[in-house]
Amino acid sequence: MKKNIILGFLTVGVFAVTSCDKALDYTPTGVLSSSDLTSTSAIDGLVTAAYAAIGNGDMIGPIYSNWVYGSVRSDDTYKGGGGTGDVGEIDAMEHYNLVQPNMDAFVTRTWRNLFKSISRCNVALRAVNGLDETAYPEKKIRLAELRFLRAHSYFTMKLLYKNIPVFDENATQEEILKVSNDLTNDASWNKIGEDFQFAIDNLPVSQPEMARANKTAAQAYLAKLRLYQAYEQDASHKVTNINKTRLQEVVTLAQAVVSSGKYSLAADIADNFVPETENGSESVFAIQFTVNDGTTAGRMSYEDGLNYPHGAPQYGCCGFHAGSQNLVNAHTTDANGWPNFDTFNNQIADLSTATVDPRLDHTVGIDGHPYKYDNSLPFSNSWVRDAGVYGNFHTMRFQQQASSGSYFKLGPFMGTAKNYDILRYDDILLILAEAYIQLDQQESALPLINQVRQRAANSTAKLKKADGTFASKYNVKPYTTTGWTKDFAFKALQWERRMEFATEGSRFFDLVRWGIAESVLNDYINKEKVRRTFLSTAKFTAGRDEYLPIPQAEITFTNGLYKQNPGY
């Protein structure tokens, strides 16, 4: 399976990766250093290895799937699995107040996996820089691709840890060990942004191989970075200002992506979550995965491998990432086809009578509703692993049918060869809409938000039951100009982002960006813990829980050079 891409699975032994005790001085075992490389083919291999590295996370050290960091830590989902003690670090993150800097899985492992990907980029950058452009005509393009990839990993680290060390390929091992994490928030955003800007300046609009980053992908990513940067935070993570100059940069960059004509919304949101339509019109940049590529297990994505229905015989593990009651309630709509903004969570939604946004059935496994577009296989409450703790809802967007050619089972765990979109066009439209609203140009945001809503309304063809009827009553309508004030537009934008990216891991980071994480999440906990008593001791503390702690092992390794995040 797959296609016109550059990645495949790296079988060349010199690029094999093994673990390392410390991330900052990480050099993959068996990898040739840049000084050993003189041929363009070997250097191309290093570039390919850097692309591969952004997909080299694992189930307890994820670097591209944010289901733990962005969904379970939000109001979208519960941890799920076999009770609160099953993978206890996720339970700690769901409670917020149990997170510790010495957690070896997740907090520490993700940090190290991200630095491994940054190291791959820096090794390749040094090698590419060592060649003359006459001998290597693709030099500037490859440098731009590598800086794009490095910026992607640094961006992810910023979302998770905020206060991170940032260094480039010119830093020696000795110099790296002297780089602190005490840059100002704005300065570290700018350093990462420099890489994206270099990519914009040196990448072509289109590449001959679809996996490679291009100019518009770099513009899209820099727009996303500037949006986060625009919400200025103090040392305690409180949003103190929204920078209009940064927002205007967002508009300019996102408009360039939209006006390029390269992208459009897929006809059905489902097309973003099945392998048959991957790399489609909506995909701006994606990590590529493979199966049946001549290797034993292919180059598979396993970061969501815990999240299949446990009781379903075709899967059998492990029941994590359960949809919250709050998320299900949030999908209900009023007679106008708009969200029940203020009343959605007053009671448990009766899905037999309530009208809902169709995105509910693209997102949550619900008893009697088709699971992953297979109307011969409706979801069953009997598939749920621990309904007594986590309820009967399940996740679905990143899961694949067991009959899919992209699906692979390795022992008890599931992987897929479905590509993982890092940037999609729906995100770019809503990024642009958000910038417009914050610039008091909410009228320009209205058609962008309505584009996304109209696509949601049209995304019902794959949701029919075997008898041709729908399990839910769908009602989503566009917003109108009446009452479209800045405040209402921003509320609509916030809601649209939740529906459009539900369970995809962006929700928590949106709340932190907007400066409302404490209020929203404590309101959620106070209501949800009555329904799900395992949350009875959960509490979000502003000034601490917006970010993960810096791993204690890294602070110790640098002899205290790294400073711990507030509150830990």
Side-chain angles (χ1 to χ4, degrees), residues 123-136:
V123 168
L125 281 162
R126 288 192 290 270
V128 174
N129 274 321
L131 285 185
D132 184 87
E133 198 164 357
T134 303
Y136 194 48

Side-chain angles (χ1 to χ4, degrees), residues 231-310:
Y231 292 82
E232 296 175 350
Q233 297 179 354
D234 64 17
S236 297
H237 318 320
K238 182 179 179 180
V239 175
T240 57
N241 181 53
I242 302 176
N243 188 307
K244 298 298 180 69
T245 300
R246 293 297 184 201
L247 290 173
Q248 190 55 58
E249 290 181 67
V250 174
V251 169
T252 300
L253 289 160
Q255 281 180 337
V257 177
V258 172
S259 64
S260 73
K262 287 170 57 69
Y263 310 104
S264 60
L265 294 177
D268 192 315
I269 193 173
D271 292 342
N272 293 310
F273 305 109
V274 291
E276 293 79 10
T277 44
E278 63 187 10
N279 292 326
S281 65
E282 198 162 341
S283 178
V284 178
F285 181 73
I287 302 173
Q288 309 284 324
F289 292 100
T290 64
V291 68
N292 298 330
D293 57 6
T295 63
T296 302
R299 174 174 169 72
M300 308 290 289
S301 172
Y302 288 101
E303 288 193 7
D304 294 289
L306 295 173
N307 301 343
Y308 282 83
H310 188 75

Side-chain angles (χ1 to χ4, degrees), residues 175-210:
E175 290 168 339
I176 288 172
L177 294 176
K178 297 177 182 178
V179 177
S180 182
N181 67 331
D182 62 356
L183 280 172
T184 67
N185 198 40
D186 206 49
S188 56
W189 278 130
N190 282 337
K191 276 186 172 289
I192 301 167
E194 288 171 8
D195 275 352
F196 284 134
Q197 187 61 57
F198 183 89
I200 291 169
D201 294 339
N202 292 280
L203 286 174
V205 172
S206 297
Q207 293 263 39
E209 294 159 308
M210 66 179 67

